[in-house]
Amino acid sequence: QGAETVYLIRSRLGGFANDVTIQTEKGPVLYHVKSKVLSPLGRRYGVYDDAMKEVLGTEQDHTAIFPRHTMSRDGHEVGKLGQDGIIPQMYFVQLHSWPRAKIHVGGFESIFQLTTDEGVAAEVAQYRSTWIVVVPGARDRFLVLAAIAIVFRETTIGG
């Protein structure tokens, strides 16, 4: 996949289902993001590939004041994400291989970015119930897309 691949993040059935999908603009669904609603340890998310095998999971961090999640892949922690302060639309993404990134989710039909001190990690355009995402370069593209999809789930469907 090229550096300028466009991805679509959207909920199935207009947000009524427990399924957010990540797909290329012209291609099939690449990943599903599902919340694990019956988890006794708080809100958890799973990211599943096309064969419905879990490729990334999150667990809610109960030591933080605001909602935060630890992201794990193959049993190893790969990052954290969560609400950044008291404003519900402000989120941080801290991947282990990246500097801390921030995303300020705009209002309905807006454009916003996931940014680090090094620059833009992803550009997002919100159109109706779809986020259109471009991740420049190939560095940790899957983790960036997964983190943005979880933020989408938290902000548009209520987690």
Side-chain angles (χ1 to χ4, degrees):
Q1 296 173 359
E4 293 302 317
T5 302
V6 174
Y7 297 90
L8 305 177
I9 298 175
R10 63 177 107 191
S11 55
R12 290 184 116 176
L13 302 175
F16 296 112
N18 180 27
D19 193 6
V20 168
T21 59
I22 302 171
Q23 66 186 74
T24 60
E25 183 179 30
K26 298 176 184 175
V29 171
L30 302 172
Y31 302 102
H32 297 264
V33 179
K34 295 180 176 278
S35 65
K36 300 177 181 181
V37 292
L38 299 176
S39 172
L41 300 175
R43 189 175 304 153
R44 297 179 65 206
Y45 295 105
V47 180
Y48 300 86
D49 64 14
D50 192 36
M52 296 309 289
K53 177 184 174 215
E54 186 173 282
V55 291
L56 183 89
T58 74
E59 296 211 9
Q60 191 169 3
D61 180 358
H62 294 286
T63 62
I65 295 173
F66 302 108
R68 293 185 179 195
H69 299 272
T70 300
M71 300 173 16
S72 298
R73 189 173 193 184
D74 299 324
H76 302 288
E77 184 179 316
V78 294
K80 294 184 180 288
L81 66 87
Q83 186 176 323
D84 196 21
I86 61 171
I87 301 172
Q89 295 82 11
M90 297 289 287
Y91 280 79
F92 75 90
V93 176
Q94 178 68 60
L95 303 177
H96 290 318
S97 57
W98 287 64
R100 184 178 173 102
K102 292 189 176 195
I103 187 168
H104 180 205
V105 178
F108 189 67
E109 295 193 6
S110 61
I111 297 173
F112 45 97
Q113 299 174 327
L114 176 69
T115 59
T116 70
D117 290 340
E118 297 175 356
V120 175
E123 297 183 79
V124 182
Q126 182 178 4
Y127 179 71
R128 296 187 182 172
S129 61
T130 300
W131 284 9
I132 303 158
V133 181
V134 174
V135 182
R139 184 175 168 204
D140 294 326
R141 182 175 290 152
F142 164 73
L143 292 176
V144 171
L145 286 168
I148 291 172
I150 292 167
V151 171
F152 173 91
R153 182 84 169 87
E154 289 270 309
T155 60
T156 61
I157 304 175

